Structures are given as structure tokens and as C-alpha cells.
Amino acid sequence: MMRQSKWKNVIYMLIALAMLIYALPMISFKPGAGWVSVFGMVWAAFAFLIIGAHLHFLLGVDAEKQRALDQIRKAKLMDWQRKWAGEKKESQGL
């Protein structure tokens, strides 16, 4: 079951996708359109960025990265503990 924040991301992504589907046929990509064409391309690029950001969050790419970082932190902590225990033994003359 999705958390409430994931539902919010799904809704926002669907809104951005609907706006993009509605607007793309109306945007003029002809060379003579000038600023209207530039604005349409920039607007479409931002819409794709928004959709991509929501998909990135929904697919859990951040969760995978977080798990990998947690494993690295645990390995570093264990290494640090081993070094600290070794230094403690050396200082005691063992």
C-alpha cells in the first residue's frame, strides 16, 4: 500500500502528464514561430523534468541508494571499531 506522500506524487505526475498531452499538439515547433516556439520547447522540457522527478521518486531509486549507503556506513563503522579495538589493545601493551 502506498503512503500518502506517494499518492501525492502520483497525482502531481498525472496532472503534469495530462497538461503535457493537452499542450503538445498546440505548441508550434515551426522555425518561423520565434519566441512562441522557444517558450513551448522550454515549457515542455520542464514538464518532462517534473514527470521524470516524480517517476524517480515513485520507482524507489532513492530507497536503493539509501540501502547501499547504509551498507557502506555499517562497513565503515565496523572497520573503525576494529581499528579502535586494535589501538586500545596496543596502548594496553597486549
Side-chain angles (χ1 to χ4, degrees), residues 17-90:
L17 188 61
M19 288 179 7
L20 188 64
I21 290 171
Y22 178 76
L24 270 181
M26 296 180 192
I27 297 173
S28 175
F29 293 105
K30 296 177 184 173
W35 289 107
V36 175
S37 178
V38 171
F39 175 79
M41 285 185 248
V42 170
W43 186 88
F46 278 120
F48 281 120
L49 281 173
I50 291 168
I51 293 167
H54 287 292
L55 277 174
H56 179 78
F57 179 78
L58 290 171
L59 295 176
V61 176
D62 290 335
E64 292 173 15
K65 284 183 183 178
Q66 188 62 42
R67 276 188 235 121
L69 288 173
D70 287 342
Q71 288 177 346
I72 292 169
R73 284 188 195 110
K74 285 179 186 178
K76 284 184 177 182
L77 178 63
M78 291 177 64
D79 187 42
W80 179 80
Q81 287 176 343
R82 278 189 226 118
K83 286 180 183 179
W84 187 75
E87 289 175 4
K88 189 174 180 182
K89 287 180 182 179
E90 287 177 6

Side-chain angles (χ1 to χ4, degrees), residues 3-19:
R3 295 188 329 227
Q4 187 173 0
S5 64
K6 286 202 177 200
W7 279 112
K8 185 171 66 170
N9 283 332
V10 168
I11 291 170
Y12 290 157
M13 184 187 66
L14 290 175
I15 289 170
L17 188 61
M19 288 179 7

